[in-house]
């Protein structure tokens, strides 16, 4: 086991913890994989260091070229990397106000929502920096979140609250050979279910009609967009009682949802219990930092969640301000620290992307580094870069890990 993990106490404590919790062999295997993650590649330095705010990998198989990685940067650009070498293949520059980055599920189009009232689409295979398609919103729309359905048919984007309206706007994302126009108008919008900025949108991984949204109003709404109107489409509303920073699907057949909040809370709900007498809430932790027992260290913030299909287990990913990544196992009894990934980042980690096929992990941070981790790989020697604080035009728009806003709300 690498020295950095031995020093964290993981090697000596894992077996005892897992035995106590009654973990299955599959569970022990995935936790061992996490504990054995090593850095196999770092991205090379770029001319303009930026925060790496979002990461996604292409879903298509390119046997000759390999997988592509799209990285959202705080300087208003999206960089396309080769996954194995992490070198920058091309860069789409000059788009301040981008929020989120996502590959299509069936082709190599890359999407991002923008505060200029559009969702932009680039072809990751083309060197041209111009979007190949624009999905235009309604006047005054400021998009801060989005996603595309599992069949690539529908795009949904969430807006900031403007004049008492916070909208979920929908477009037909299908390519029509009869209509080759590069600009698309909305199909419609939901306007009644959120009362503040819609910070998160996430389609169901396999059901293209199901989508969940999260907002600074604390609500997490589940919709079936095959319904005729917004009232009928709303399946259920869950309340996190705090501003939502991340949402995701989990569980067998993805019938559970979870969220993180901007004051580092965690909520987990089971939609299987909607029509039963069982409580829908599996777990509610107002501040994970206060209850998690991290071996030889602390937890400063949450980054997101990771559902591992093979073991039917949900993991929560967090970190420290010095760049250590914390991985926690999520159970109805609470969150348990599994392992820590050290020696990689030198500042706050902003984003990650887990690949279920090869059990690899991509991470990006405020130190401008993109790292590729793989289990059991030969660890290479790297010089840890100095932490850097980067001035960014979108500094006010990217996530800030702070309790200040939460404390102010509590006083009101």
């Amino acid at each position: 086991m690498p020295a950095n993990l031995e020093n964290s106490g993981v090697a000596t404590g894992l077996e005892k913890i897992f035995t106590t919790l009654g973990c299955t062999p599959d569970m022990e295997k995935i936790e061992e994989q996490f504990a054995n993650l090593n850095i196999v590649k770092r991205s090379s330095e770029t001319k303009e260091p930026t925060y790496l705010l979002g990461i996604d990998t292409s879903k298509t198989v390119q046997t000759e070229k390999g997988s592509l990685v799209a990285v959202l940067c705080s300087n208003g650009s999206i960089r396309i990397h080769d996954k194995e070498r992490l070198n920058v293949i091309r860069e789409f520059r000059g788009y301040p106000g981008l929020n989120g980055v996502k590959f299509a599920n069936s082709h190599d189009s890359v999407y991002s929502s923008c505060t200029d009232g559009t969702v932009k689409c680039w072809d990751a295979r083309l060197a041209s920096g111009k979007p190949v398609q624009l999905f235009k919103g309604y006047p005054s729309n400021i998009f801060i979140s989005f996603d595309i359905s599992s069949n690539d048919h529908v795009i949904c984007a969430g807006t900031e609250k403007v004049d008492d309206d916070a909208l979920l706007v929908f477009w037909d994302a299908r390519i029509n050979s009869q209509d080759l126009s590069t600009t698309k108008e909305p199909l419609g919008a939901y306007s009644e279910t959120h009362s503040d900025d819609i910070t998160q949108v996430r389609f169901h991984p396999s059901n293209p009609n199901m989508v969940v949204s999260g907002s600074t109003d604390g609500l997490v709404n589940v919709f079936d967009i095959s319904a005729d109107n917004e009232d009928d489409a709303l399946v259920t509303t869950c309340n996190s009682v705090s501003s939502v920073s991340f949402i995701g699907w989990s569980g067998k057949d993805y019938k559970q949802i979870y969220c993180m909040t901007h004051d580092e809370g965690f909520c987990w709900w089971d939609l299987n219990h909607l029509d039963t007498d069982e409580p829908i809430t599996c777990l509610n932790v107002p501040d994970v930092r206060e209850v998690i027992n991290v071996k030889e260290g602390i937890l400063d913030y949450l980054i997101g969640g990771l559902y591992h299909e093979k073991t039917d287990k949900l993991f929560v990913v967090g970190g420290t301000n010095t760049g250590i990544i914390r991985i926690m196992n999520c159970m109805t009894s609470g969150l348990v620290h599994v392992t820590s990934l050290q020696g990689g980042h030198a500042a706050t980690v902003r984003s990650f992307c887990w690949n279920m096929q090869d059990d690899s992990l991509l991470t990006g941070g405020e130190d401008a580094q993109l790292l590729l981790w793989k289990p059991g790989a030969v660890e290479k020697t790297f010089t840890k870069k100095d932490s850097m604080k980067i001035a960014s035009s979108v500094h006010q728009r990217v996530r800030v890990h702070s309790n200040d806003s939460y404390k102010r709300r509590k006083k009101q």
Side-chain angles (χ1 to χ4, degrees), residues 292 294-300 319-320 326:
I292 191 69
V294 178
K295 293 173 282 291
E296 297 184 13
I298 60 171
L299 178 75
D300 289 320
T320 71
R326 310 289 195 196

Side-chain angles (χ1 to χ4, degrees), residues 2-187:
N4 63 320
L5 293 178
E6 289 180 345
N7 293 339
S8 70
V10 173
T12 56
L14 279 176
E15 185 175 350
K16 184 184 295 184
I17 292 173
F18 298 157
T19 302
T20 302
L21 295 174
C23 293
T24 64
D26 283 345
M27 187 63 188
E28 291 181 4
K29 183 178 179 181
I30 183 58
E31 288 175 332
E32 183 180 351
Q33 286 179 338
F34 285 143
N36 284 325
L37 283 170
N38 288 313
I39 302 165
V40 294
K41 197 67 179 176
R42 283 178 200 262
S43 59
S44 56
E45 290 190 34
T46 56
K47 295 179 181 178
E48 184 181 1
T50 68
Y51 293 177
L52 306 187
L53 305 178
I55 303 172
D56 196 25
T57 56
S58 60
K59 282 72 172 179
T60 59
V61 178
Q62 298 184 7
T63 53
E64 294 181 3
K65 299 181 180 179
S67 296
L68 300 176
V69 177
V71 178
L72 173 64
C73 304
S74 60
N75 64 350
S77 71
I78 291 177
R79 293 175 184 156
I80 306 298
H81 297 254
D82 172 270
K83 184 184 175 183
E84 294 306 315
R85 294 184 294 274
L86 295 189
N87 57 304
V88 178
I89 299 173
R90 59 188 54 91
E91 186 171 5
F92 308 130
R93 298 179 59 87
Y95 300 97
L98 294 179
N99 291 277
V101 63
K102 184 78 184 287
F103 271 102
N105 297 285
S106 58
H107 48 88
D108 286 333
S109 294
V110 178
Y111 299 86
S112 186
S113 61
C114 190
T115 56
D116 66 3
T118 66
V119 175
K120 304 180 191 300
C121 172
W122 295 266
D123 188 332
R125 299 166 299 180
L126 300 180
S128 170
K130 293 183 179 180
V132 295
Q133 217 165 21
L134 284 178
F135 298 88
K136 291 183 63 177
Y138 298 105
S140 78
N141 282 171
I142 299 173
F143 294 121
I144 56 174
S145 58
F146 86 102
D147 198 11
I148 186 166
S149 62
S150 59
N151 59 6
D152 293 332
H153 287 186
V154 177
I155 290 173
C156 176
T159 72
E160 281 191 352
K161 179 182 177 182
V162 177
D163 296 331
D164 296 327
D165 288 326
L167 306 181
L168 284 170
V169 182
F170 298 88
W171 296 266
D172 185 343
R174 293 173 293 182
I175 299 172
N176 186 347
S177 59
Q178 305 299 317
D179 178 14
L180 298 178
S181 111
T182 57
T183 302
K184 286 201 172 186
E185 301 295 329
L187 293 171

Side-chain angles (χ1 to χ4, degrees), residues 57-58 67 83 353-362:
T57 56
S58 60
S67 296
K83 184 184 175 183
C353 184
W354 172 257
N355 188 311
M356 199 70 66
Q357 278 65 49
D358 63 359
D359 295 322
S360 65
L361 179 69
L362 286 160

Side-chain angles (χ1 to χ4, degrees), residues 204-206 249-256 271 307 309 356:
H204 190 279
S206 59
W249 297 84
S250 66
K252 188 177 180 181
D253 298 325
Y254 289 95
K255 291 186 178 179
Q256 298 174 344
L271 303 183
Y307 175 65
E309 291 181 349
M356 199 70 66

